[in-house]
Amino acid sequence: MGVAFIWAAAANGTAVAGADYTAASGTLTFNPGQTSRTLPVSVLGDLMDEENETFLVTLSNPKNAALGIKSQGIGTIEDNDPPPVVNINSVTVTEGDTASQIMQFTVSLSVPSGKTVTVNYATANQTAVAGQDYMSRSGSLIFSPGQTSRTISITILGDLLPETTETFAVNLSQPVNATLGVSKGIGTILDNDAVTTLYLPVVIRP
């Protein structure tokens, strides 16, 4: 006389059916003398760095047998994906005369992550000087799971002085759940002020 169980793989853990594995169920039959059977559950791959995830496989409704204390198994899906790479772009704007301009840098992840990603940023003088040509800024960016892009807005200060093109840097540092790629963005400020020409009077004496 054979033994049978009803089994089901359900999303009672951190894994999600349809995204991390394929939900399945059925009847498991042991023929006379048979002591071991396997349950097939398909695990779905992806490229997202994430925590290890779990789902449950539950046995129920035994026939010609009794359920033991281990009627529920845990399936653990171990992640094999590297963390995303965080990059920043470079930006060019033309300064104004009196009003300020906004220079917007984009910080992006190479791929979505299943984890929260953070990275610090800070401006640094090159030929442009904080407080005269732009407003310094520093802080942290937070990427929620699945988010791949954030922005940093830097205020550019206008003036009426003819000057050369100036630059400053926005540096990324201390990433969490990511690695640094292009970690320095260059802000280029183009001058829009004309050079003043001074004419001196010429006196012609007889």
Side-chain angles (χ1 to χ4, degrees):
M1 183 178 295
V3 173
F5 295 91
I6 302 296
W7 68 275
N12 291 333
T14 55
V16 177
D20 302 305
Y21 73 100
T22 300
S25 63
T27 300
L28 192 65
T29 301
F30 291 79
N31 294 319
Q34 195 171 21
T35 59
S36 177
R37 293 295 309 276
T38 58
L39 302 176
V41 179
S42 297
V43 174
L44 305 177
D46 59 39
L47 298 175
M48 183 178 294
D49 179 41
E50 53 195 344
E51 304 291 348
N52 292 343
E53 298 170 314
T54 62
F55 63 91
L56 302 180
V57 177
T58 303
L59 300 178
S60 63
N61 300 327
K63 180 181 179 182
N64 298 326
L67 289 175
I69 58 175
K70 294 184 178 180
S71 61
Q72 197 170 67
I74 299 176
T76 300
I77 305 171
E78 295 184 345
D79 186 64
N80 68 332
D81 300 303
V85 179
V86 58
N87 300 291
I88 187 171
N89 70 336
S90 293
V91 185
T92 299
V93 301
T94 300
E95 72 170 13
D97 292 331
T98 55
S100 60
Q101 305 287 331
I102 299 298
M103 182 179 284
Q104 193 168 78
F105 293 82
T106 299
V107 180
S108 58
L109 300 183
S110 57
V111 293
S113 177
K115 302 176 182 178
T116 298
V117 173
T118 63
V119 65
N120 294 341
Y121 68 90
T123 55
N125 289 348
Q126 291 188 334
T127 54
V129 178
Q132 298 179 19
D133 304 305
Y134 73 99
M135 297 300 295
S136 64
R137 189 173 179 188
S138 63
S140 296
L141 295 178
I142 300 175
F143 296 79
S144 299
Q147 190 174 22
T148 59
S149 180
R150 295 296 308 275
T151 58
I152 302 170
S153 296
I154 306 297
T155 300
I156 306 302
L157 304 176
D159 59 41
L160 297 174
L161 299 175
E163 50 196 346
T164 60
T165 296
E166 298 171 315
T167 62
F168 65 94
V170 178
N171 296 309
L172 303 180
S173 64
Q174 297 179 304
V176 176
N177 294 325
T179 58
L180 288 178
V182 179
S183 61
K184 177 181 289 187
I186 302 300
T188 301
I189 306 171
L190 302 178
D191 186 60
N192 70 329
D193 301 305
V195 176
T196 301
T197 302
L198 178 64
Y199 294 93
L200 298 176
V202 177
V203 179
I204 301 176
R205 298 181 182 277

